[in-house]
Amino acid sequence: MFAILIVFTSLLFVLAACGNESEQEASDSGSGDTESSDNEKAAEEDSGKPYIAIISKGFQHQFWQAVQSGAEKAAEEFNVEITFEGPENESQVDKQMEMLRAALDKQPDAIGFAALDSQASSPLLEEADEKGIPIIAFDSGVDSEIPLTTASTDNYAAAALAADKMAELIGEKGKIALVVHDQVSVTGAQRRDGFVETIEEKYPDIEIVDVQYGKGDHLESTNLAKTMMQANPDLAGIYGSNEGSAIGVVNAVRELGKEEEVTVIGFDSGKQQIDAIKDGVMAGAITQNPEGIGYETVKAAVSAINGEEVPENIDTGFYWYDQTNLEDEEIQAAVYE
Amino acid sequence: MTTDIANSHATAQKKYFKGTGALQQILAFASLIILIIFFSIASDNFLHWSNIEGILLSTTVIGILALGTTFVIITGGIDLSIGTGMTLTSVMTGVFIVYLGLPLSVGIIGGILSGACIGFISGFSVSILRIPPFIATLAMMMIAEGLSLVISGASPIYFSDIEGFNSIALGSVIPGISIPNAILVFFFMVLIGWVLLSKTIVGRYTFAIGSNEEATRLSGINVKKWKLIIYTIAGCFTGVAGVIMASRLNSAQPALGMGYELEAIAAVVIGGTSLSGGKGSLIGTMIGALIMSVLTNGLRIMSIPQEWQTVVIGFVILLAVYFDMLRKKNA
């Protein structure tokens, strides 16, 4: 018992020392900035810079790291302090709520928020609204009037483009299936609906035989894409709606040796998808502009803090990339390894 | 004294196997057969060799985890750290092979040893520090989850440039027959585990501790030492699962693994190992893991919505535990 106490207290000391150090650094870096502020916001007093808390949907995918790097770029450019965090897993709605609550308690000047579940977050968003903290939604958007603006890809339109490409590549006829990352989030739903509805409206000879959800988990998505091909041996194409889903489909096609038969279309980016496109296992993929999302989020937050008008929606754009344009400058800026 | 209790336990084990205990295994095996027949009738595409191969391949990772954790559960303990522990071992394998450039074989052994380390620490907390297994391994689960993210910098480690890594799981060593190595590794682990559990002193003490820890201790057996060994063995299985997963995905994904421990425990329970300790078998666990993946695969092939798949699997676990209770009442 005594030993544990010693370990515990020494751990606390180490943590306390770390905490002090970073506070010290923060106040040092902010000391040159003498702009006076009339509120009592703790973060601002420490550093002198406006503080923006950014809550993303996760950080396990390279995508979020690209968003973070875009946000950091903007933070440097506009001289603001940011924090960037997200749950480990994109199904942890509850964990994200706790992060948003903690962010509110820190009294930031603005919050950037990518909701895993719009409904679940609305009470906290109202609380932020009452406190006068501007909210900038990013990535998937938030189903609420409260966010001043949303910096995001038009996922529905992007998925529709994926559907058009799929139709073109399989000759506008045959069976196809979807591996979607989840059915709860707005991105999951839009990337499914944009694809499904485009196929149903424009391509009567294409049949969607199955839609399954793999949580964006690589192994889970591999196993389920494999089963889809077993259930439908004549499947012409599969669309994977995010990085983990698309990699799962690629793994499955490779494991079954169906590289020549099944057209794979992905979403997002990452080393394995880029390699799969180079190898010809994946026909192509849609990429968002994650750095742009991060950058525009912080930029909009700064405008909001300064009391400037912000547009209702900020479209951060998307691209189709395949073997033919992978090396283009525009694509290289939007894909990430 | 020591050999006495070991011998008496060995006979008890034989009796158990002949008696009511075999019921659960027979039930599990019968369910597996019934499921296979049902899905073969329900879908033409179920009983194809490539689908069966797919089922076996998707059993490997959870299955190997379940085998290791069977030992721990028979002692009356539980190991919640196996899911994220497996992730940590896959990340460590990446560190050894990709970052440090060590040869493939050294990296694989390193990965398995990392698993053993995780098991050793869990075992140390449980046996020496006397922390309840649920809490000790829950803590280990979180430590492993955090460390995976820290060590990998929260981004995947790719093995794409490492020639031959992918074929650890997906290549086939037997010429002429295309069975992925991962499946062979799984059955090999079943064999190793079965020998350990039913033919060696480790196995005898595993059952003895689970049946009555105090009596085992009073008979002069160093329960602390053996528990430490048993958790470390379970950790080795975690390490093997980690290497197999990394190889199959050709990458170490630092945020996977959470929740895999529950699937593994479910397989153990369906296989007839009692969560209250003292009873269980590795063949049962193998059948349990196969039931889980046959069920998932079959429901998917029938295009049953995923939400319902989860509900069905939940019911199966409920049934398995109910039969376990019936057995105990009868015994």
Side-chain angles (χ1 to χ4, degrees):
Chain A
M1 194 62 213
F2 188 62
I4 296 173
L5 255 173
I6 292 178
V7 172
F8 187 67
T9 37
S10 52
L11 202 69
L12 276 181
F13 270 116
V14 172
L15 287 176
C18 291
N20 280 338
E21 213 168 287
S22 59
E23 251 172 50
Q24 198 68 41
E25 267 170 31
S27 53
D28 281 352
S29 64
S31 59
D33 203 354
T34 50
E35 207 175 24
S36 66
S37 70
D38 51 0
N39 52 33
E40 307 107 28
K41 284 166 188 164
E44 202 162 329
E45 272 181 8
D46 274 350
S47 65
K49 288 182 190 176
Y51 166 60
I52 304 164
I54 300 176
I55 316 279
S56 81
K57 290 165 104 178
F59 59 91
Q60 83 270 45
H61 290 307
Q62 296 296 293
F63 178 81
W64 295 111
Q65 290 174 19
V67 173
Q68 182 172 8
S69 98
E72 278 162 1
K73 212 179 267 176
E76 205 164 297
E77 192 177 320
F78 300 110
N79 195 30
V80 292
E81 194 87 34
I82 62 162
T83 50
F84 192 98
E85 55 185 343
E88 289 93 53
N89 183 309
E90 289 185 27
S91 55
Q92 293 172 326
V93 178
D94 49 339
K95 214 163 197 177
Q96 196 192 35
M97 290 304 100
E98 279 161 31
M99 286 176 172
L100 182 58
R101 162 145 307 283
L104 276 174
D105 291 340
K106 284 191 272 182
Q107 308 245 351
D109 295 279
I111 292 178
F113 182 56
L116 283 172
D117 184 321
S118 296
Q119 297 287 324
S121 53
S122 64
L124 286 173
L125 293 179
E126 271 161 31
E127 192 182 321
D129 196 38
E130 278 162 24
K131 286 184 175 172
I133 302 170
I135 305 271
I136 308 296
F138 68 100
D139 183 53
S140 60
V142 182
D143 219 1
S144 152
E145 294 295 310
I146 293 169
L148 294 177
T149 181
T150 303
S152 69
T153 313
D154 184 343
N155 279 296
Y156 189 94
L161 174 62
D164 285 330
K165 291 286 180 184
M166 175 69 88
E168 185 190 317
L169 289 164
I170 63 170
E172 300 197 5
K173 64 174 193 300
K175 289 181 182 173
I176 57 170
L178 286 77
V179 176
V180 181
H181 51 285
D182 72 86
Q183 56 265 73
V184 184
S185 73
V186 180
T187 49
Q190 285 185 343
R191 288 185 196 176
R192 176 195 60 206
D193 296 346
F195 190 93
V196 170
E197 283 165 22
T198 305
I199 295 287
E200 282 171 354
E201 278 160 26
K202 288 166 74 176
Y203 307 101
D205 294 333
I206 297 179
E207 186 195 353
I208 296 175
V209 290
D210 207 356
V211 181
Q212 299 267 357
Y213 303 88
K215 297 177 227 148
D217 180 309
H218 298 60
L219 191 62
E220 175 86 15
S221 303
T222 306
N223 289 336
L224 74 83
K226 225 169 153 178
T227 318
M228 279 175 166
M229 284 183 274
Q230 298 292 351
N232 306 282
D234 52 346
L235 208 60
I238 308 182
Y239 157 69
S241 73
N242 79 342
E243 188 181 341
S245 312
I247 294 303
V249 176
V250 167
N251 286 343
V253 167
R254 280 211 175 105
E255 286 182 11
L256 284 175
K258 290 204 167 200
E259 288 94 338
E260 306 293 316
E261 298 158 49
V262 179
T263 302
V264 180
I265 286 181
F267 210 116
D268 292 331
S269 175
K271 180 174 164 47
Q272 284 179 303
Q273 279 202 81
I274 294 170
D275 286 349
I277 288 174
K278 283 181 185 161
D279 297 348
V281 182
M282 184 180 276
I286 303 283
T287 181
Q288 311 183 65
N289 184 357
E291 281 210 18
I293 293 174
Y295 183 89
E296 293 293 340
T297 304
V298 171
K299 191 179 161 195
V302 171
S303 304
I305 293 168
N306 295 338
E308 293 159 17
E309 279 278 315
V310 284
E312 202 174 310
N313 279 302
I314 303 166
D315 185 359
T316 51
F318 58 86
Y319 308 100
W320 164 261
Y321 66 106
D322 55 20
Q323 272 180 353
T324 61
N325 69 351
L326 193 53
E327 302 302 325
D328 291 1
E329 214 173 292
E330 197 178 53
I331 299 298
Q332 281 297 316
V335 297
Y336 43 90
E337 292 225 324
Chain B
M1 190 78 169
T2 310
T3 42
D4 275 358
I5 194 138
N7 285 339
S8 72
H9 203 82
T11 34
Q13 235 178 288
K14 269 180 202 149
K15 259 189 223 154
Y16 151 75
F17 195 79
K18 280 178 192 155
T20 51
L23 176 71
Q24 181 86 4
Q25 262 163 280
I26 294 166
L27 264 176
F29 189 67
S31 323
L32 180 61
I33 302 296
I34 291 169
L35 278 177
I36 291 172
I37 294 171
F38 173 76
F39 286 126
S40 314
I41 296 167
S43 166
D44 294 340
N45 299 309
F46 181 78
L47 215 56
H48 283 180
W49 170 243
S50 68
N51 190 47
I52 293 167
E53 191 188 286
I55 292 173
L56 291 173
L57 194 55
S58 65
T59 314
T60 54
V61 168
I62 298 284
I64 294 171
L65 287 180
L67 292 172
T69 207
T70 305
F71 284 85
V72 172
I73 291 176
I74 292 175
T75 67
I78 192 106
D79 194 344
L80 298 176
S81 71
I82 50 173
T84 56
M86 170 191 69
T87 310
L88 181 55
T89 62
S90 71
V91 168
M92 288 309 294
T93 310
V95 169
F96 293 137
I97 296 175
V98 179
Y99 290 172
L100 301 179
L102 297 174
L104 222 51
S105 52
V106 179
I108 295 168
I109 293 168
I112 297 171
L113 288 182
S114 323
C117 280
I118 297 168
F120 181 83
I121 297 169
S122 293
F124 185 84
S125 317
V126 170
S127 67
I128 311 292
L129 302 181
R130 303 179 67 84
I131 300 170
F134 189 89
I135 306 298
T137 59
L138 180 72
M140 196 62 224
M141 164 173 114
M142 296 168 84
I143 293 170
E145 184 189 13
L147 279 180
S148 304
L149 291 164
V150 171
I151 293 170
S152 64
S155 60
I157 302 173
Y158 298 110
F159 295 91
S160 338
D161 300 331
I162 310 294
E163 210 177 315
F165 187 78
N166 204 214
S167 54
I168 294 171
L170 297 176
S172 49
V173 278
I174 305 177
I177 309 169
S178 71
I179 296 178
N181 292 340
I183 296 173
L184 299 178
V185 171
F186 174 56
F187 288 122
F188 182 64
M189 295 309 283
V190 173
L191 187 70
I192 289 185
W194 178 76
V195 168
L196 274 177
L197 193 61
S198 39
K199 301 286 169 207
T200 68
I201 202 158
V202 178
R204 266 177 244 161
Y205 290 160
T206 305
F207 281 108
I209 293 170
S211 305
N212 191 335
E213 189 171 334
E214 190 59 20
T216 313
R217 196 180 62 78
L218 290 175
S219 352
I221 294 164
N222 188 345
V223 169
K224 285 185 178 179
K225 183 182 96 183
W226 286 103
K227 268 196 184 173
L228 198 56
I229 291 172
I230 291 162
Y231 276 87
T232 309
I233 290 174
C236 290
F237 278 79
T238 307
V240 173
V243 173
I244 293 294
M245 183 175 78
S247 167
R248 189 169 174 208
L249 298 177
N250 217 5
S251 61
Q253 300 287 341
L256 292 194
M258 187 63 105
Y260 285 38
E261 67 284 340
L262 296 180
E263 275 185 60
I265 292 168
V268 174
V269 169
I270 292 173
T273 295
S274 169
L275 279 178
S276 43
K279 284 170 189 165
S281 86
L282 283 175
I283 306 297
T285 297
M286 181 187 79
I287 297 170
L290 285 171
I291 287 181
M292 295 268 289
S293 42
V294 164
L295 202 56
T296 318
N297 178 281
L299 294 172
R300 268 178 193 159
I301 265 196
M302 290 173 70
S303 295
I304 306 279
Q306 204 141 4
E307 300 81 337
W308 287 106
Q309 294 174 15
T310 319
V311 174
V312 170
I313 292 172
F315 267 113
V316 169
I317 295 171
L318 218 54
L319 271 179
V321 178
Y322 176 68
F323 281 122
D324 181 44
M325 279 169 55
L326 276 189
R327 185 182 72 183
K328 250 182 280 165
K329 247 187 238 164
N330 293 339

